[in-house]
Amino acid sequence: MANPTSEEYAVQTATPEQRKATRPRADALRNRERIVAAAREMFVEHGPDVPLDDVARRAGVGNATVYRNFPDRDALVREVVCSVMDRTARAAELALAETGDAFEALERFVHVAADERISALCPMVSSTFDQHHLDLEAARERVERLVAEVMDRAKAAGQLRADVGVGDLMIAAAQLSRPPAGTGCLSADRFVHRHLQLFLDGLRAPARSALPGTVVTMEDLRRPCDP
């Protein structure tokens, strides 16, 4: 799967209803989408401190347009991460609606999450910005609820091994979609979907081995580390 370009991303990205105050004009909405698309690319490439002037330049809009849509960096980062989580969840929902196959929906979620670079964006929010913002929590809860539902359906259908949880899936998908230390991001990209598919095949039932430890939940991931 190829990563979407700024233009493709702008067409596909939609501002969720809960983040709309009033219906913007079509040209204003397109500008907002271009800004979010460009910011996503640049945050992945350079981190959250990339100059907003550079984001405006890549989006093809003026600086004033960026600040008119997003009053500060936090607001732009939140919108980028929320839109990525919304698009990733939507991919799984579409797969489930099109095929009714829960495991295929799970595969679609994992591969789209890798293409969206969700593993690079989400930690950026939790370490730098207000991770308890209402928009972020709503988007995160939607993704977690959807993945849990899909995994439960896959288990009920005998497709997914019973000894894995949402936390297991999220950890493995995040780790496998990041380039190894010392490896250039672009050169590692060509291996991501290959290794994610190897992992997904290992999730299929019947299980070939017993996993050490216990099922990992999202609550486990949020629990503070022991001192």
Side-chain angles (χ1 to χ4, degrees):
M1 296 185 183
N3 290 330
T5 63
S6 293
E7 291 77 10
E8 292 169 337
Y9 191 88
V11 171
Q12 296 171 25
T13 301
T15 305
E17 277 309 313
Q18 65 268 30
R19 298 199 296 279
K20 288 182 180 176
T22 58
R23 181 101 182 147
R25 300 191 320 271
D27 59 338
L29 182 58
R30 283 193 296 272
N31 283 340
R32 182 182 179 89
E33 291 169 342
R34 289 191 187 102
I35 294 165
V36 173
R40 169 191 166 274
E41 292 177 357
M42 300 199 77
F43 290 157
V44 168
E45 293 169 14
H46 306 292
D49 296 325
V50 62
L52 296 189
D53 288 357
D54 292 351
V55 173
R57 194 173 301 112
R58 182 171 294 196
V61 301
N63 295 1
T65 302
V66 172
Y67 288 104
R68 188 161 55 246
N69 281 275
F70 304 101
D72 54 36
R73 184 182 301 276
D74 289 21
L76 178 55
V77 171
R78 278 196 303 271
E79 183 64 19
V80 168
V81 175
C82 286
S83 68
V84 163
M85 287 194 284
D86 289 337
R87 284 159 51 84
T88 304
R90 184 60 179 155
E93 288 173 336
L94 286 173
L96 199 56
E98 290 168 359
T99 69
D101 187 307
F103 199 92
E104 184 173 327
L106 196 64
E107 290 181 313
R108 183 84 63 89
F109 168 82
V110 169
H111 285 294
V112 171
D115 279 340
E116 293 285 355
R117 303 300 184 90
I118 201 168
S119 63
L121 293 170
C122 290
M124 181 178 73
V125 172
S126 62
S127 63
T128 313
F129 299 97
D130 178 12
Q131 59 184 302
H132 300 298
H133 190 279
L134 292 178
D135 288 346
L136 284 173
E137 292 208 334
R140 186 162 48 223
E141 286 170 6
R142 180 186 176 214
V143 169
E144 292 173 11
R145 185 170 56 249
L146 174 64
V147 173
E149 177 188 344
V150 170
M151 291 181 74
D152 287 345
R153 290 178 62 165
K155 288 177 183 178
Q159 299 172 299
L160 177 67
R161 57 189 299 162
D163 56 350
V164 293
V166 177
D168 292 301
L169 180 83
M170 295 299 195
I171 288 174
Q175 291 177 337
L176 290 171
S177 58
R178 290 189 184 120
T183 305
C185 291
L186 295 178
S187 64
D189 273 356
R190 55 194 171 130
F191 306 124
V192 167
H193 292 290
R194 173 184 176 86
H195 296 148
L196 284 173
Q197 193 59 50
L198 281 170
F199 160 68
L200 288 163
D201 287 348
L203 293 181
R204 287 188 179 274
R208 298 293 191 268
S209 61
L211 295 177
T214 58
V215 171
V216 179
T217 67
M218 293 306 296
E219 288 70 28
D220 292 330
L221 298 185
R222 295 194 182 100
R223 191 172 297 129
C225 295
D226 294 330

